Amino acid sequence: MSREVPAVFGSVFSPEMPVIAFEDGAWQKVRWQSSAEMSFPPGAHALHYGSECFEGLKAFRQQNGDIVIFRPDDNIARMRQSARLLHMPVPEADTYRAALFELVKRAADIVPDAPNALYLRPTLVGTDPVIGKAGSGTTSALLYILASPVGDYFKVGSPMKLLVETGHMRCAPHMGRIKCGGNYASALPWVVDAKEKYGANQVLFCPGGDVQETGASNFMLIQGDEIITKPLTAEFLHGVTRASVLQIAPDLGYRVSERDFTVAELKQAVEGGAEAILTGTAAVISPVTAFVIDGKEVPVTGGQKRGLAIRKAITDIQYGITPDRYGWIHKVA
């Protein structure tokens, strides 16, 4: 099989995928099926009432030939949390993990070389075929996992302009830490509008002036030797890459400040030479090059050097260039 990376991120999948069904009050054995199509009842709870959540993580081909997965247990734990908060059947961690690793093993031939990766998309959907259950959670579900060879979501070093949005939230505040399609859909009107009006790549949601996250990534400021980011709350996604940056930062000479900060502080910091970055599984770290604040473009004059250095420190561990001192890397047997 080819180890080439398709031009469009996440558009090509491994031929088969694992599927685990929750039926009659219990999780069933893993079955394998084609990833080309999947059937749901037309009345499936996920299609009508949004009982759906997903994860994103990556497998890497290291320079010694080993194939590894980056922080899988953190993603499994986050999906289990999402399922609980959505009142869905909660996947069994061990079965979920075994299916994930078996998928990567079966897809070994399409795990690309550095700087590319195999993107993994576990998805949990509610399948109760009853459209009268708007007021209750689904009692049946399917967990399946897609694998897709990918390159960078954003080209490293390319322009990254953010519109600062203070009038709207990314999603309902109590839903923010759930990784579900509804939250991305909730942000989409503002993201599309920002692209059309300002040529912005994403929207930084700052309701009432409180700097939170973009439509698809966590956000950080790098001011001198300090990394500043909002503390964990229910309002935004608790990113695995975010956690990785904050864990590795002290070893790179940074102080970490998890605190609330305002758009006014952000603007002042950027005008004073601070860097800004987005963090997430797909892009790892994307340095921000400009903001649109109150209709005016504010360039990030501090450059991208520090953000790209942090990115390299993480990707060097992922590709086996430097040792993993944090327990992030899990070898696929």
Side-chain angles (χ1 to χ4, degrees):
M1 298 178 66
S2 173
R3 278 158 56 179
E4 294 181 0
V5 173
V8 178
F9 188 101
S11 61
V12 174
F13 304 106
S14 63
E16 58 181 353
M17 64 181 182
V19 180
I20 312 170
F22 187 86
E23 299 170 345
D24 302 322
W27 286 99
Q28 308 301 308
K29 292 182 179 180
V30 179
R31 59 181 172 86
W32 292 83
Q33 70 164 69
S34 168
S35 61
E37 60 183 23
M38 194 165 195
S39 298
F40 297 102
H45 201 275
L47 301 178
H48 297 268
Y49 305 118
S51 57
E52 172 272 347
C53 58
F54 63 94
E55 279 299 321
L57 66 161
K58 286 178 178 176
F60 300 90
R61 187 180 298 276
Q62 296 196 316
Q63 63 177 7
N64 65 357
D66 286 347
I67 296 175
V68 303
I69 304 178
F70 186 71
R71 304 193 70 165
D73 297 314
D74 297 275
N75 289 95
I76 291 169
R78 189 170 64 179
M79 175 175 271
R80 285 167 54 83
Q81 173 182 265
S82 293
R84 281 192 293 269
L85 293 172
L86 291 171
H87 297 279
M88 297 180 67
V90 177
E92 295 174 337
D94 291 343
T95 305
Y96 179 174
R97 193 180 198 276
L100 184 68
F101 275 67
E102 179 63 21
L103 173 60
V104 176
K105 189 186 302 184
R106 294 189 184 201
D109 288 347
I110 62 169
V111 178
D113 298 318
N116 304 312
L118 186 71
Y119 188 88
L120 303 166
R121 173 53 62 89
T123 305
L124 179 67
V125 293
T127 54
D128 279 7
V130 181
I131 61 173
K133 295 190 67 173
S136 59
T138 185
T139 57
S140 60
L142 289 177
L143 170 62
Y144 63 94
I145 310 174
L146 294 169
S148 178
V150 298
D152 281 315
Y153 192 75
F154 298 116
K155 186 177 179 181
V156 178
S158 61
M160 174 59 63
K161 185 193 298 186
L162 303 184
L163 173 69
V164 174
E165 172 59 57
T166 59
H168 299 91
M169 299 179 179
R170 173 181 179 254
C171 61
H174 68 284
M175 293 286 287
R177 60 180 168 156
I178 301 172
K179 192 171 178 67
C180 63
N183 286 348
Y184 290 77
S186 176
L188 196 57
W190 320 119
V191 175
V192 171
D193 190 60
K195 290 178 180 178
E196 292 176 350
K197 287 184 178 179
Y198 300 100
N201 303 88
Q202 258 294 347
V203 172
L204 179 61
F205 289 93
C206 308
D210 175 43
V211 179
Q212 296 186 356
E213 65 176 339
T214 73
S217 304
N218 293 135
F219 176 80
M220 297 181 183
L221 269 178
I222 307 175
Q223 190 169 23
D225 66 350
E226 183 182 23
I227 293 178
I228 306 167
T229 193
K230 185 176 176 63
L232 295 180
T233 69
E235 296 171 290
F236 70 99
L237 191 66
H238 301 177
V240 175
T241 305
R242 173 192 181 277
S244 303
V245 171
L246 299 189
Q247 187 173 356
I248 202 173
D251 292 335
L252 300 177
Y254 292 99
R255 295 179 293 114
V256 173
S257 296
E258 292 184 82
R259 63 174 177 82
D260 293 331
F261 59 106
T262 66
V263 171
E265 291 177 82
L266 166 64
K267 184 173 183 291
Q268 183 178 23
V270 169
E271 291 176 338
E275 289 186 38
I277 59 174
L278 304 181
T279 68
T281 295
V284 189
I285 290 175
S286 297
V288 179
T289 56
F291 295 88
V292 177
I293 302 176
D294 295 329
K296 297 180 180 179
E297 188 162 321
V298 180
V300 178
T301 59
Q304 305 180 28
K305 183 177 180 180
R306 288 169 287 184
L308 291 176
I310 297 171
R311 184 186 197 277
K312 185 176 187 302
I314 292 175
T315 58
D316 279 356
I317 292 173
Q318 292 172 333
Y319 291 112
I321 297 170
T322 58
D324 171 24
R325 299 191 291 131
Y326 308 99
W328 293 343
I329 298 300
H330 296 255
K331 185 178 177 180
V332 176

